[in-house]
Amino acid sequence: MNIAFFLTPKNQVVYENPKSTMRQALERMEYHRYTSVPLVNGTGKYVGTLTEGDLLWKLKNTPNLSFNDTNKIIIQEIPRHISNKAVLISADIESLISLAKDQNFVPVVDDNGVFIGIIKRSDIITYCYNLLYKNKELKN
């Protein structure tokens, strides 16, 4: 099976530029109710994932940082505590599942590292559930 079957294309994904501010990321993540977003640089390359935890640790570890001051913090200056790995669009399903077990989503890149979308763990689980359920239904 081709992993592109599961792909949510870039134009349907909420992502952030590492040169954006912490406040922009906080507001975008709150608006969409996301706990993490891919980071895509100005040339379109996937450079990591920003999580709520990263933002919280930054707040905790920066004395006197108020919400109003988060517009002065650039995302690329925020340490990231989790390294979400991407897969190539040509990757096999085993590589995808191996990453998806530990990540809410798996970023997908082309051969040049350009971000082309994500594969959500929930979509993989739904697909597997349907396979199992249909197989069970056929046996009954």
Side-chain angles (χ1 to χ4, degrees):
M1 166 175 270
N2 187 323
I3 69 167
F5 172 79
F6 297 105
L7 185 72
T8 300
K10 179 181 179 179
N11 66 356
Q12 296 175 18
V13 174
V14 173
Y15 57 92
E16 198 62 68
N17 186 307
K19 294 189 186 275
S20 297
T21 67
M22 183 175 178
R23 184 172 186 154
Q24 289 171 313
L26 283 163
E27 290 178 349
R28 183 167 301 182
M29 289 170 74
E30 177 188 28
Y31 178 81
H32 292 284
R33 297 190 169 274
Y34 290 152
T35 59
S36 59
V37 292
L39 295 174
V40 179
N41 70 17
T43 61
K45 296 197 177 193
Y46 170 73
V47 295
T49 297
L50 182 70
T51 68
E52 283 180 329
D54 299 332
L55 298 170
L56 289 169
W57 282 106
K58 181 64 176 172
L59 282 169
K60 178 188 177 290
N61 294 323
T62 307
N64 302 317
L65 179 62
S66 70
F67 178 74
N68 288 335
D69 292 333
T70 59
N71 65 342
K72 298 174 188 166
I73 307 284
I74 304 302
I75 291 173
Q76 65 189 13
E77 298 169 1
I78 299 172
R80 292 191 296 278
H81 295 84
I82 295 175
S83 177
N84 281 4
K85 296 189 179 359
V87 293
L88 291 171
I89 188 64
S90 59
D92 57 35
I93 193 79
E94 290 82 11
S95 300
L96 173 66
I97 291 173
S98 174
L99 291 176
K101 69 182 178 58
D102 297 321
Q103 300 175 192
N104 289 336
F105 63 85
V106 178
V108 181
V109 297
D110 67 13
D111 291 337
N112 296 315
V114 174
F115 179 74
I116 58 175
I118 63 170
I119 296 176
K120 295 178 250 175
R121 181 170 51 198
S122 61
D123 289 345
I124 297 167
I125 291 171
T126 300
Y127 176 79
C128 292
Y129 173 81
N130 288 336
L131 278 180
L132 290 170
Y133 181 74
K134 287 178 182 177
N135 285 341
K136 184 178 178 183
E137 192 176 83
L138 292 174
K139 289 180 183 177
N140 289 336

